[in-house]
Amino acid sequence: MACKGKKKKGIVAALLAALVVALSGCSHNIVTYGDGVGFETTLRPDSGNFGVTFRYGKILSIAARENFEAEMVGSGKGDAADGKGGASSDGSVKVKIGKQITGYYVDAIKAGATPKQIDEYLDAEK
């Protein structure tokens, strides 16, 4: 019986650890692509609203925060003449991510560093 309690605690600890890893992130620039059927969940911390969306097809989601460029090139076509309907798409996405900075940049500026000095330092770190 004591083994069951330890096993249950181990499973709960593993699930909590997995949840922490899944919910943590740097939140800089996020690009996700999906093709097919899926669900998307959302949570707005400011209002506490939670949402679930059912999606079907090709889905591209980009959440850009800083120094980020995305270019979508493609075409799409649809035809409903046969009464059944249908759609297709083709294309590509080019993503360019620049230097990702944090509050350290702001702290360095407040301490008297110039943006040029910070850029030179970051380039030297490569």
Side-chain angles (χ1 to χ4, degrees):
M1 294 269 181
C3 187
K4 284 186 179 182
K6 288 182 181 180
K7 188 175 183 180
K8 185 177 179 181
K9 287 180 183 179
I11 290 172
V12 169
L15 288 174
L16 285 174
L19 182 65
V20 167
V21 169
L23 294 177
S24 64
C26 70
S27 74
H28 276 275
N29 300 306
I30 302 157
V31 179
T32 59
Y33 172 78
D35 190 1
V37 178
F39 287 95
E40 177 181 300
T41 59
T42 58
L43 174 65
R44 291 193 50 164
D46 59 338
S47 63
N49 291 341
F50 178 77
V52 177
T53 305
F54 173 74
R55 296 190 181 251
Y56 178 76
K58 296 181 182 186
I59 308 296
L60 175 67
S61 298
I62 299 175
R65 183 172 172 186
E66 61 184 331
N67 297 331
F68 184 91
E69 295 177 22
E71 177 184 356
M72 256 178 79
V73 179
S75 63
K77 60 183 176 179
D79 184 12
D82 61 1
K84 295 180 182 177
S88 64
S89 62
D90 188 22
S92 64
V93 177
K94 294 179 184 178
V95 175
K96 180 181 176 185
I97 300 174
K99 293 178 185 171
Q100 301 297 296
I101 56 175
T102 62
Y104 297 119
Y105 190 92
V106 175
D107 292 342
I109 295 292
K110 286 180 182 178
T114 65
K116 183 178 178 184
Q117 289 172 324
I118 296 170
D119 287 341
E120 289 172 356
Y121 174 78
L122 293 173
D123 289 338
E125 288 291 308
K126 288 183 181 179

